[in-house]
Amino acid sequence: MHIVLDASGPDAVQASTIGDDVSPPPADRRVLARSELAAFVRAREAEEPRPRWVWSDSRVWYAPLLAAGVRVERCVDLRLCHAILRASSFTAGTALAAAPVGPWDTAVTIEQEAHPDAHTALFELDAPAPGATPSALDEFRQQQEAVAASSDPGRLRLLLAAESAGALIGVELRHAGLPYSAERHDDLLTELFGARPAYGRPAVLEALVAEIRAGLEAPDLNPDSPPDLLRALQRAGIMVTSTRSWELRRIEHPVIAPLLRYKKLSRLLAANGWAWLDSWVRDGRFRPDYVPGGVVTGRWATRGGGALQLPKQVRGAVVADPGWKLVVADAAQLEPRILAGLSGDQAMASAGRGKDLYEGIVASGAVEERAQAKVAMLGAMYGATSGESGRLMPRLARSFPRAVRLVEEAARAGERGEIVTSRLGRSSPPPGGSWRAAQGAASASDSTAADERRARTLARDWGRFTRNFVVQASAAEWALCWMAELRNRLAALAPGAELTDAPHLVYFLHDEVIVHTPEALAAASAEAVVAAAQQAGRLLFGGFPVDFPVTAAVVDSYAEAK
């Protein structure tokens, strides 16, 4: 059963109840005042079977319900599902994929907002056609028709369900917040920087600036200005071409050590210093704004707060409430294991069964050391062709031919300007207009050698993107299934309890989660984390024997888990 929610004027909501067959008119259609919606949803969630709520955007509809103490089990997030179905190769040729651009196509990814010309959108579209936004009910019907007419309805349904569950989780993460001690964060910063200054740099950074200026004989140097710093380094006889840390580390000079320390500490201060603490931590909680599907591969992003880059130096401030524990869990070597499942490479799956995958690759004879195995796998997934990765790739291909063939074929498809598709049906965007223009210029009768070089470079770059897309997007699907299954298992540990009174998710980072749980349920929560990971593997790959081992540590502080 589905209940579709549509806005009906500024203060009213229309709720339409439909069955699995969405074509007939709704069995029940009623108009509610917005003030009545929470009670209506609470009552329907108490019935069996629980409905699947269908709405335009979970951030808009679910957040007020959570604030009213109402939690829902399932939903369809039409905004996120539309983006998947519009672009998927599974739905090519359906009415939804071929429809003119409309209001449902206006959502953009975080990548587009940051880099509007990067062509990493879900798809390239012109401005939306004028007209009113179609109703949620009409959009839902069109999406269901697209899935039914797709080349693989089963996988798509799983993807849409997982994506929608992720939307619920994103709202719940913000609502619950990550337990966070402002006092402990201040202590950690004070240990690193000295006392918080009223203005300007902290004492430790000022001392490093003085040391850097003396070492470069540049008394007015601003080390935060890359051009100024580069000129000062070159005047001192240090012939570098940039101020990037990786290049500086290769230089032997007394000024390099304090400079690298300054760069590291100043980045931490800018990203997670006292200003960050003042802006993002309230009432013992850090509440970032997660954006499910915010990256073109389906990975999550955040709007502000930097939750996906919480550095180790401040993780000690993430502490459980009194009487509660944190369960910190991460999946080992997720993307290589996803590649084994995607390609059906029995040898690679066997290398990681019950053990560290990289050690298994060494045991297979492909390479001699674990570090080499890691470098070789990263090269395979990200397209490294030179250095140690390039040298090891042929050996990896001999031992695991199906896995290497899959990413190589994805790369060649990208070089030809074709799209590639994840395990469950999320497809990569086509390359943008500048890419197509470059390929066209190289093929023209009056093309130059420079045109051809540019076209080859862009083709290789896009091939590296599609090579990684199939793995990273499928890994994002596994993570969504993991979290959705875990969410259900945690709710079952405390039936009927409100979100923050039961074990609940409070943090997510690609292949890592944190659960905040009453101490009495900590062991059961840790078991749920591991069991949910195994179920996610079965959902994606059925009976194919690829392991997804997860470590789950029950701790008082995030820092204790690492």
Side-chain angles (χ1 to χ4, degrees):
M1 178 179 62
H2 301 84
I3 300 180
V4 185
L5 300 182
D6 259 311
S8 181
D11 298 313
V13 174
Q14 180 173 277
S16 304
T17 302
I18 57 178
D20 292 334
D21 183 356
V22 301
S23 299
D28 176 52
R29 177 178 284 169
R30 64 183 70 182
V31 177
L32 309 166
R34 282 194 178 268
S35 60
E36 300 173 314
L37 181 60
F40 172 75
V41 174
R42 181 184 285 110
R44 299 308 297 266
E45 279 289 315
E47 299 173 358
E48 291 291 345
R50 290 187 176 90
R52 191 182 294 272
W53 301 92
V54 181
W55 48 44
S56 57
D57 188 331
S58 298
R59 296 174 301 183
V60 173
W61 290 93
Y62 190 34
L65 293 174
L66 272 180
V70 179
R71 192 181 186 199
V72 306
E73 182 176 313
R74 305 181 301 171
C75 85
V76 175
D77 189 299
L78 294 173
R79 177 184 62 88
L80 292 173
C81 293
H82 181 95
I84 290 170
L85 294 173
R86 182 73 154 169
S88 177
S89 63
F90 290 3
T91 53
T94 63
L96 187 148
V101 176
W104 288 97
D105 297 316
T106 58
V108 296
T109 66
I110 292 296
E111 288 174 332
Q112 283 176 282
E113 292 177 351
H115 307 288
D117 297 322
H119 300 295
T120 51
L122 295 176
F123 36 79
E124 289 189 343
L125 295 170
D126 299 320
T133 302
S135 72
L137 181 56
D138 290 341
E139 171 64 19
F140 182 51
R141 283 174 170 155
Q142 190 173 34
Q143 290 190 15
Q144 293 295 94
E145 291 168 1
V147 172
S150 71
S151 60
D152 200 324
R155 290 189 187 182
L156 267 181
R157 289 192 181 101
L158 176 55
L159 174 56
L160 300 183
E163 187 85 340
S164 296
L168 294 178
I169 292 167
V171 177
E172 291 174 355
L173 287 170
R174 181 171 176 80
H175 175 82
L178 180 66
Y180 208 92
S181 169
E183 294 77 15
R184 180 58 183 147
H185 188 99
D186 180 73
D187 290 344
L188 291 169
L189 293 179
T190 302
E191 291 173 11
L192 289 168
F193 296 101
R196 180 176 186 173
Y199 59 89
R201 298 185 182 97
V204 168
L205 288 186
E206 283 291 2
L208 287 170
V209 170
E211 188 175 354
I212 294 164
R213 286 171 174 170
L216 294 177
E217 298 183 358
D220 298 323
L221 171 66
N222 175 12
D224 296 317
S225 169
D228 291 353
L229 178 58
L230 182 61
R231 285 191 292 269
L233 288 166
Q234 291 174 345
R235 282 197 300 268
I238 303 172
M239 292 298 106
V240 290
T241 58
S242 76
T243 61
R244 294 185 180 91
S245 296
W246 64 266
E247 185 171 357
L248 294 175
R249 289 191 188 98
R250 299 186 302 186
I251 305 299
E252 292 187 11
H253 190 281
V255 81
I256 296 301
L259 178 55
L260 289 173
R261 177 165 170 74
Y262 176 85
K263 287 168 70 69
K264 182 178 181 179
L265 288 176
S266 61
R267 280 195 300 269
L268 175 64
L269 184 65
N272 296 97
W274 285 286
W276 176 90
L277 182 63
D278 293 342
S279 299
W280 289 99
V281 178
R282 290 283 186 280
D283 302 320
R285 291 295 185 270
F286 168 40
R287 289 187 169 88
D289 185 8
Y290 286 95
V291 185
V295 179
V296 69
T297 58
R299 275 190 166 192
W300 286 21
T302 58
R303 284 190 174 90
L308 301 181
Q309 295 178 333
L310 200 62
K312 292 182 179 180
Q313 295 97 321
V314 298
R315 289 179 181 177
V318 179
V319 292
D321 291 344
W324 289 61
K325 291 287 187 178
L326 300 177
V327 179
V328 180
D330 65 271
Q333 301 118 18
L334 176 59
E335 289 192 354
R337 293 173 187 275
I338 288 290
L339 176 56
L342 279 175
S343 61
D345 195 310
Q346 293 277 0
M348 183 171 285
S350 178
R353 194 166 303 129
K355 56 183 177 292
D356 179 283
L357 174 61
Y358 298 135
E359 293 289 357
I361 292 174
V362 172
S364 75
V367 295
E368 289 80 27
E369 300 174 359
R370 186 182 186 279
Q372 291 178 326
K374 187 172 183 178
V375 167
M377 282 302 308
L378 290 174
M381 293 185 295
Y382 288 88
T385 57
S386 59
E388 184 76 348
S389 291
R391 185 181 70 82
L392 294 171
M393 271 291 291
R395 299 170 65 177
L396 195 71
R398 284 194 296 271
S399 295
F400 311 108
R402 292 176 66 100
V404 173
R405 186 183 311 122
L406 183 138
V407 289
E408 289 292 335
E409 288 175 353
R412 302 293 86 77
E415 291 171 3
R416 295 190 297 268
E418 300 169 1
I419 67 172
V420 294
T421 300
S422 68
R423 175 68 174 179
L424 298 183
R426 191 188 302 270
S427 291
S428 64
S434 60
W435 188 96
R436 292 190 293 270
Q439 305 309 312
S443 301
S445 57
D446 59 347
S447 66
T448 65
D451 290 333
E452 293 171 4
R453 284 195 300 271
R454 173 171 168 75
R456 284 195 298 270
T457 298
L458 290 176
R460 285 195 298 268
D461 288 346
W462 200 257
R464 280 192 289 271
F465 165 67
T466 52
R467 171 195 293 271
N468 183 245
F469 181 95
V470 291
V471 178
Q472 190 177 111
S474 300
E477 292 165 354
W478 180 91
L480 283 172
C481 291
W482 181 31
M483 284 201 298
E485 178 69 16
L486 176 57
R487 176 179 182 262
N488 291 338
R489 289 173 181 263
L490 293 176
L493 294 178
E498 290 196 14
L499 175 67
T500 53
D501 292 334
H504 57 282
L505 284 157
V506 291
Y507 187 68
F508 170 57
L509 175 62
H510 305 320
D511 57 2
E512 182 176 340
V513 298
I514 300 179
V515 173
H516 195 215
T517 175
E519 187 169 1
L521 294 174
S525 297
E527 292 172 4
V529 167
V530 175
Q534 299 311 311
Q535 178 63 11
R538 288 189 289 270
L539 285 171
L540 258 69
F541 302 114
F544 185 76
V546 56
D547 284 353
F548 291 96
V550 168
T551 59
V554 178
V555 295
D556 294 309
S557 164
Y558 188 10
E560 296 172 13
K562 297 293 181 180

